[in-house]
Amino acid sequence: MSTAQSLHQSRKRKNAVMMALCVIAAGIGLAWLALILGALLYKGLSGVSLAVFTQMTPPPGDAGGLLNAIYGSIVMTIIGIVVGTPIGVLAGTYMAEYGRFSRLTTIVRFINDILLSAPSIIVGLFVYELLVRPMGHFSAIAGAIALSILVIPVVVRTTEDMLNLVPNALREAGTAIGAPRWVVIRSVAYRAALSGIVTGILLAIARISGETAPLLFTALNNQFWSSNLNAPMASLPVTIFQFALSPYEEWQQLAWTGALIITLTVLGLSIIARSLTGRREDR
Amino acid sequence: MSAVSEAATSSAMRTREATVRRFAVTDMVFRAATRASAILVLVLLGGVAISLIAGSWEALSKFGISFLTTESWNPVTENFGALAPIYGTIVTSAIAIIIAVPIGIGIAVFLTELCPRPLRRPIGIAVELLAGIPSIIYGIWGLFVFAPFLQTTIQPFIIWLFKGIPGLNSLFAGPPYGIGLLTSSLILAIMVLPFITSITKDVFDTVPAVLKESAYGIGCTTWEVTRRVTIPYTRVGIMGGVMLGLGRALGETMAVTFVIGNAHRISASLFAPGTTISATIANEFTEADGNLYTSSLVSLGLILFIITFIILALARYMLLRIDSRTGA
């Protein structure tokens, strides 16, 4: 009896130890998030001022803002989304609607999942070989194309998943009143899956607005205001990269402020995206 | 039936036929557009592979297989070898995975078994938000906050601790720079943690309640249920999640570029600066003059592409296996 009891005790003890370790692991994960956000807020907020949003990036040792970098990021993100989203939505539509059980869909899904996690610097190299080298110079449009290549897999994935959740009875009802396939897709399936597809687009914006690696040698950087899509353009992430590694205090401060802006944008977009589909998960 | 109404019916028939024909054409066009987009996804990956091979041709044909085994990286004499970046990539990713996997599984167990229900969703979301933070943020945080902290506290302590122990003393040899292989590994570990956690949590949720309940029914503790039922049942899925995290760690660029030190050499100490494939490309690509230099950097990209492709393909294959099991 006593051996059984001591076995029971040791099992209970082991359980308590392992469960405590799991709680500690969760604590570490959360503490890390808090540490990073805390440092960002602490270092970034002290540099937030109107000048950040109204002045150009300064020469070394001078005060200035991030206006041209913010503008460049917004322009390239918008072009990236505008180019990438239609392709992504259409490809996702094929996979969920026309070719749901086809061989092509299986292959595309597999390749798309790989593209989804492929290193973004590889995409930068690809666009460099594809556009920058033939054109002979760096350009904002090359940066935007690199970003759109990162958008496509995110949108394909969410579009396919969300269209697959639309009940078939809805489509059958549409077909039964004589609507052709593409009208059913457009007016029934898209409408039912709209919030999910929008979520995918928001997540894609969140993903590319912080991307640095694919812009390094496509859009390069620009110290000055430029709205020429055929010339190098500044972007927030690349500016942060350059400024953070510089020895100048003003630049480092701007890098922290820029990092705070990007993080708040990305976290805000992810939270909005989540709240759009959150109710579905709860069920 | 008057002639008038007959004419009306036949014209209605005609417009109806025309409408049906128009529908058929637009449907075909739409279908073709979606199919072309799907194929474009395949073309993209193929294009990446072809452009990398084309871009690396010059370097690979000059150096051949010795490109993989040469440590030297000298832009002046134009002698390039990929050994140091490959070493750095593999070492940092391996250490990151070794640290992140137990913590990730721990968080997943916490979320599925221990966490009070109202807290479950907020904590899960918080951990996933870590995944959304851009890598440059981890980089700047690592450079200005984490590396100085390691340099002044943890690293001197570890160097002092292992001073007299052979093997470990060369693995943790000073001086403490703050930046280096170990710092990069720790940052990478933080970055892949959310991926591993969320996938592990998802596959834990696929374990049928009956299995767990019957284990609890014969008196198992929570740990025993996790160890003997949940983890064996989801082994393939966890492996898939780990591989996915590994793929991320191997290709991660910005965070590592900030804290690795960018030194093309292989040293025994984990505290020494090193480099990875992606950090080398990010640091040197725009400054590379000469076709051979650029081509060597693209060759590094090709190597990274091949490694991550294999790892990610394996990850997806494993996750597909667990998907098909729950689907059946």
Side-chain angles (χ1 to χ4, degrees), chain B residues 48-73:
Chain B
V48 171
I50 291 168
S51 73
L52 288 180
I53 292 171
S56 60
W57 193 254
E58 190 177 340
L60 289 185
S61 55
K62 179 156 191 288
F63 298 118
I65 198 77
S66 73
F67 186 72
L68 294 176
T69 54
T70 312
E71 191 187 332
S72 150
W73 183 271

Side-chain angles (χ1 to χ4, degrees), chain A residues 28-52:
Chain A
I28 290 176
L30 287 176
W32 235 315
L33 180 67
L35 271 178
I36 294 176
L37 288 180
L40 256 183
L41 283 174
Y42 176 72
K43 300 238 183 185
L45 272 181
S46 58
V48 174
S49 66
L50 198 63
V52 171

Side-chain angles (χ1 to χ4, degrees), chain B residues 105 204 223 225-235 238:
Chain B
I105 293 179
F204 277 4
W223 168 245
V225 172
T226 305
R227 176 75 189 78
R228 308 280 169 198
V229 178
T230 310
I231 291 181
Y233 187 86
T234 54
R235 201 187 304 122
I238 296 175

Side-chain angles (χ1 to χ4, degrees), chain B residues 51-231:
Chain B
S51 73
L52 288 180
I53 292 171
S56 60
W57 193 254
E58 190 177 340
L60 289 185
S61 55
K62 179 156 191 288
F63 298 118
I65 198 77
S66 73
F67 186 72
L68 294 176
T69 54
T70 312
E71 191 187 332
S72 150
W73 183 271
N74 194 333
V76 180
T77 58
E78 298 220 306
N79 186 23
F80 299 104
L83 193 60
I86 293 176
Y87 169 83
T89 304
I90 291 173
V91 167
T92 50
S93 301
I95 297 175
I97 288 296
I98 290 169
I99 296 169
V101 166
I103 299 180
I105 293 179
I107 299 176
V109 172
F110 173 79
L111 284 174
T112 47
E113 305 286 344
L114 301 172
C115 186
R117 203 160 262 285
L119 282 179
R120 205 169 280 189
R121 229 175 98 76
I123 294 182
I125 289 176
V127 171
E128 279 177 34
L129 284 182
L130 268 172
I133 296 179
S135 63
I136 192 159
I137 307 298
Y138 289 94
I140 192 171
W141 181 77
L143 180 67
F144 287 115
V145 180
F146 196 48
F149 169 73
L150 287 177
Q151 184 177 16
T152 49
T153 56
I154 306 283
Q155 287 187 349
F157 174 70
I158 294 180
I159 292 170
W160 171 81
L161 192 66
F162 294 126
K163 204 166 46 188
I165 307 169
L168 285 178
N169 63 356
S170 56
L171 196 58
F172 297 105
Y177 290 109
I179 56 174
L181 289 174
L182 189 68
T183 313
S184 309
S185 311
L186 290 172
I187 299 268
L188 282 178
I190 307 169
M191 295 193 63
V192 298
L193 185 61
F195 295 101
I196 296 176
T197 304
S198 66
I199 288 182
T200 310
K201 184 173 123 338
D202 286 350
V203 295
F204 277 4
D205 285 339
T206 66
V207 179
V210 184
L211 276 186
K212 290 205 280 191
E213 280 158 12
S214 46
Y216 280 122
I218 58 167
C220 288
T221 61
T222 311
W223 168 245
E224 284 161 348
V225 172
T226 305
R227 176 75 189 78
R228 308 280 169 198
V229 178
T230 310
I231 291 181

Side-chain angles (χ1 to χ4, degrees), chain A residues 11 15 18 22 26 32 90 94 98 113 122 125-126 180-182 212 217 220 237 244 259 263 266 274 281-282, chain B residues 23 26-27 30 34-35 37 47 51 110 121 128 132 136-137 141 144 190 219 222-224 254 285-286 301 316:
Chain A
R11 283 175 54 210
N15 183 53
M18 294 316 289
C22 291
W32 235 315
L90 285 176
Y94 178 81
Y98 287 111
D113 280 349
I122 300 281
L125 284 178
F126 168 56
R181 193 81 182 265
W182 77 283
T212 321
F217 28 83
L220 202 67
T263 309
V266 169
R274 240 164 257 282
E281 279 169 38
D282 270 340
Chain B
F23 276 171
T26 41
D27 201 37
F30 189 66
T34 61
R35 202 180 143 90
S37 302
S51 73
F110 173 79
R121 229 175 98 76
E128 279 177 34
I136 192 159
I137 307 298
W141 181 77
F144 287 115
I190 307 169
T222 311
W223 168 245
E224 284 161 348
M254 297 323 292
F285 198 83
T286 45
R316 290 300 167 188

Side-chain angles (χ1 to χ4, degrees), chain A residues 175-232:
Chain A
T175 311
I177 58 168
R181 193 81 182 265
W182 77 283
V183 174
V184 171
I185 293 172
R186 205 189 50 188
S187 331
V188 179
Y190 279 171
R191 207 164 283 185
L194 186 65
S195 73
I197 295 173
V198 172
T199 301
I201 298 170
L202 286 177
L203 288 177
I205 299 175
R207 162 113 199 250
I208 63 171
S209 54
E211 278 290 354
T212 321
L215 295 177
L216 281 175
F217 28 83
T218 51
L220 202 67
N221 200 353
N222 197 331
Q223 196 76 53
F224 308 102
W225 174 269
S226 163
S227 54
N228 182 0
L229 289 180
N230 206 19

